[in-house]
Amino acid sequence: MRTVNRRDFLKAAAASAGFAALGGCASMEAGGGKNHVVVIGGGFGGATAARYLKHWGGANVNVTLIERDQEFVSCPLSNLIIGGSKSLPDITRGYASLAKERVRIVHDEVVAIDAEKRTVKLASGQSMGYERLVMSPGVEFQWDQVPALQDAAAREQILHAWKAGPQTLTLRKQLEAMPDGGVFAITIPLAPYRCPPGPYERACQAAHYFKQAKPKSKVLVLDANDKIVSKPALFDKIFKEMYGGMIEYRPNSRLMDVDVATRTAKLEFDDVKADVLNVVPPQRAADIAKNTGLITTNNKWCDVDWLTMESKVQPRIHILGDAVLAAPAMPKSGHMANQHGKIAAAAIIELLDGRAPNSTPVAVNTCYSFVDDKKVIHVSSVHQYNAEKKLLETVKDSGGLSKEANELEGEYALSWAQNIWADMLG
Amino acid sequence: MKLFFALLLCVSVAPNVFAHGSGSDRLARNLAATCANCHGTEGHSVGKVAALAGKPAQDTIGKLTEFKEGKRPATIMHQIAKGFTDEQLRLIADYFAAQK
């Protein structure tokens, strides 16, 4: 059924004789109406926002979640598939339980947003009105910065595997097919990018697999940054002590292009040939954010008001997750996106009801990284609102790192995944 | 057309139905939600990490204070507890105690 958008609806309703008599709140069957919140993107940010809007807002908030994919596949833990200790079903969840909690789920893609009319247009042709819009659109890969990979066929051979799913499995297959004595090279873009410790975790996972199955092989970490971006001392120690002679770390190795046929990474200063080449590309906020004019900074990220997660340039549009211009020392992580979702949900409920949003929001972050199939290291931080600077700021002396890689935190990391998936999807 | 819209319209007369509890209740709720990623929604953990729902506030605040002061063995809670004020931790402990 085509949903009537807000303006069409009001026009038609005003034309109808009954409108004045009915007055007040008009709520449309297909999730329209005065308290209709549309959420774009059912990942860690969007699904959390949708669930908590219903959980906290109850029957008086109508929530529609628009998500392209039928199932949620978690990026956190996906490196374990590459290492061989997990499979895709382990990190896949459905949206059915969220639907049971009365979030209306529409599997479709948003093609355009009209911020003035407050409507979103879907690929199916349908459009719907909103009172508030929440966007957790994730990142777009900037293939223009790796010219040879602008070709879709080339991207079937040289993978990113930076959105969990089919590419995760294919990268695993490439490693399985690689001969002993081969080289796996992973390139890392300049920070900020999604999941700061992710590339280093992946290097450990590949090395963990090679140690068992093809011990003469090498892992080359080609990092555009001048040092390891996340948990540097821990990863440095693990590279040397757990995977000495196998993992080689090269800072200041910025990727300029690739040669697809020879799987060569063309770096600023030299070329490196690999048997399996994995490119984590430069990233910016997703196209839908760009096309809606929400990108404010470095042509990449969307600045927000930290009390509400509302865009600094478009009222009534709240942005979450990796697409956001992060506050200082705030990583682009699933855990942080979950926290963004809760800040936005709480604020929207207050705003819909004409009250001021919470003036003291707090966000916690933790990134657990598996350095083999059982041992984990973490980095944690707590961010409290600073009213003067209008920023979420890390609290002095809070947060920190694991002392060393350990198995107890391996169990906690798996527990974390179960809890955060349930927290967002029900 | 008229009939179509008449059917779609629903009349809501309750103006202020969102207000669940006071501002400080909602503050406690928001603070406690920062723990849910690891301890489960409303403290109902589905994993190895302990549930917090329904635990006596005295217990929880006692443990949190020990974490904060570095007196209780921890992999991560000493780091997280230090990010919250004592007042915030008290609100959180009371909130979880009230969860079924």
Side-chain angles (χ1 to χ4, degrees), chain A residues 289-333:
Chain A
K290 185 174 185 228
N291 300 340
T292 312
L294 301 173
I295 291 183
T296 55
T297 309
N298 298 333
N299 289 319
K300 276 182 176 265
W301 311 113
C302 307
D303 203 1
V304 296
D305 176 344
W306 292 102
L307 289 179
T308 56
M309 303 305 295
E310 194 167 1
S311 162
K312 286 267 178 79
V313 290
Q314 278 295 356
R316 292 172 187 268
I317 300 184
H318 303 250
I319 312 164
L320 317 174
D322 298 343
V324 167
L325 173 69
M330 177 185 281
K332 296 187 181 301
S333 72

Side-chain angles (χ1 to χ4, degrees), chain A residues 90-111:
Chain A
D90 294 332
I91 63 164
T92 302
R93 292 289 180 275
Y95 288 98
S97 37
L98 194 53
K100 265 192 215 140
E101 297 187 21
R102 303 192 156 269
V103 171
R104 185 168 72 118
I105 294 164
V106 176
H107 291 292
D108 205 331
E109 194 165 351
V110 176
V111 291

